[in-house]
Amino acid sequence: MSDALDASLRLVRAQVALVKRFDTSLSGLHGVSLADFTMLLRLGEAPGGRMRRVDLAEKLGLTASGVTRGLAPLERIGLVMRETDARDGRVAYAALTDTGRERLTDMLATAEQIAAETFAAPLWSKEDIGHLSALLTRLGGTGLPGHGAPPP
Amino acid sequence: MSDALDASLRLVRAQVALVKRFDTSLSGLHGVSLADFTMLLRLGEAPGGRMRRVDLAEKLGLTASGVTRGLAPLERIGLVMRETDARDGRVAYAALTDTGRERLTDMLATAEQIAAETFAAPLWSKEDIGHLSALLTRLGGTGLPGHGAPPP
DNA sequence: TCACTATGCTTGAGCAGTCAAGGATTCGTT
DNA sequence: AACGAATCCTTGACTGCTCAAGCATAGTGA
């Protein structure tokens, strides 16, 4: 097997393990999955804490229906609310509620801790993490900005 | 957000994109998913082309029931057959059929090509691929051997 | 103005995996 | 020899996503 295929399969494997870790902690402490957390995080990053659902899908690498299904429980428990657009009747925004913002802060702390444990020294150096991130960014999954050197 | 959390989320994102690529080509050309292909590949690597189902689960990072469900369609289409153990009545082996072996060869060629395209020069150097692989191996998902330098 | 097309979103059906429970078999201890 | 614990596997119920279809609204060109 080539190195490229080997790397591909390792990537799949590593992700499964990583997601499992995050899911366990996040659901234990906050009752949300990593997917839920990521949704809330991207909403939190958006101006006004709100996005069109279709844009959220793009940013998450999901389909529109995935967003509909994923947001439903978050709306039900009051972390996210639905807002409409006065100009365009087709559009529905997803917006963080105040509760959602608060809870997100706690979740973020948990997620940061898991990430820190996962990439802990001495096994992982700061350079390793940056390098991994850069390599993964090359693999794409459009929707996220790179973080390498800006063009000259 | 820390670099560690950023890398974690990028890993998830990159995997989704990668899996989508493999799934599209493999299912188009051979009617199997990446998960199916990986199952067959691991079976093919095992001595005699057969493994206990529980060991296959371990190697794939799945649960036993995931293997049961995943193998079912492969048995149905004749790529994998079930074998019993004369010594231990609890055990059921999963074994590649002759057809399975042939088809696996073709699938492997396809998978190699996707991998080669994904990690094509000039964006990716041989060192990049090796480095990525090494970093991912550190992230674990036990069951696969590392491929770094052997102990002194 | 009015059809046609494009966009945003939701819904039904289906697939791939999980967990929890259960059945069958084996192992270990007395 | 026999009981209890452990192992291997499958099954039912569920989750979280996909695709395809459909509905409503908006934009476009004759």
Side-chain angles (χ1 to χ4, degrees):
Chain A
M1 176 171 27
S2 71
D3 284 358
L5 181 53
D6 182 65
S8 301
L9 299 181
R10 281 179 200 279
L11 176 55
V12 174
R13 200 71 158 64
Q15 191 254 18
V16 170
L18 194 74
V19 168
K20 211 164 284 177
R21 262 182 113 135
F22 276 89
D23 273 346
T24 301
S25 293
L26 284 172
S27 89
L29 293 173
H30 307 287
V32 299
S33 68
L34 175 59
D36 294 332
F37 163 70
T38 309
M39 278 197 169
L40 295 172
L41 182 65
R42 298 301 177 213
L43 278 182
E45 289 169 351
R50 52 183 242 144
M51 295 178 82
R52 300 192 320 165
R53 303 161 88 87
V54 69
D55 294 336
L56 183 55
E58 156 74 16
K59 188 141 260 180
L60 292 168
L62 297 181
T63 60
S65 75
V67 167
T68 295
R69 300 210 198 279
L71 283 178
L74 300 178
E75 290 169 356
R76 212 164 29 69
I77 62 178
L79 303 186
V80 169
M81 58 187 292
R82 169 181 304 263
E83 291 181 359
T84 58
D85 187 321
R87 307 289 185 83
D88 188 336
R90 291 168 300 182
V91 170
Y93 287 86
L96 276 180
T97 62
D98 290 345
T99 312
R101 247 180 233 284
E102 288 169 24
R103 300 279 307 276
L104 174 56
T105 307
D106 302 338
M107 292 174 203
L108 184 53
T110 298
E112 287 287 7
Q113 180 162 358
I114 313 294
E117 286 167 12
T118 302
F119 293 99
L123 191 55
W124 291 88
S125 72
K126 211 161 171 43
E127 289 72 31
D128 288 334
I129 301 172
H131 205 141
L132 175 61
S133 205
L135 292 169
L136 291 171
T137 301
R138 260 188 243 174
L139 273 174
T142 51
L144 292 154
H147 56 355
Chain B
M1 176 170 30
S2 70
D3 284 357
L5 181 54
D6 181 65
S8 301
L9 298 181
R10 280 179 202 276
L11 176 54
V12 174
R13 200 71 158 66
Q15 191 255 15
V16 170
L18 194 73
V19 168
K20 211 163 285 177
R21 260 182 114 136
F22 277 89
D23 273 347
T24 301
S25 293
L26 284 172
S27 90
L29 293 173
H30 308 286
V32 299
S33 67
L34 175 59
D36 294 332
F37 163 70
T38 310
M39 279 197 169
L40 296 172
L41 182 66
R42 296 305 177 210
L43 278 181
E45 290 169 350
R50 52 185 243 144
M51 294 177 83
R52 300 191 323 165
R53 299 162 91 86
V54 69
D55 294 335
L56 183 56
E58 156 74 16
K59 188 141 261 181
L60 292 168
L62 297 182
T63 61
S65 74
V67 167
T68 295
R69 300 229 195 299
L71 283 179
L74 300 179
E75 292 169 357
R76 213 165 29 70
I77 63 178
L79 303 187
V80 170
M81 57 186 295
R82 168 182 304 264
E83 292 180 0
T84 58
D85 187 320
R87 308 289 187 83
D88 189 335
R90 291 167 302 182
V91 171
Y93 287 86
L96 276 182
T97 61
D98 290 344
T99 312
R101 247 179 233 286
E102 288 168 24
R103 301 278 307 274
L104 174 56
T105 306
D106 302 338
M107 292 174 203
L108 184 53
T110 299
E112 286 288 7
Q113 180 163 359
I114 313 296
E117 285 167 13
T118 303
F119 294 100
L123 190 55
W124 292 89
S125 72
K126 212 163 170 41
E127 289 71 32
D128 287 336
I129 301 173
H131 206 141
L132 175 61
S133 205
L135 292 168
L136 291 171
T137 302
R138 261 189 242 174
L139 273 174
T142 53
L144 293 154
H147 55 355

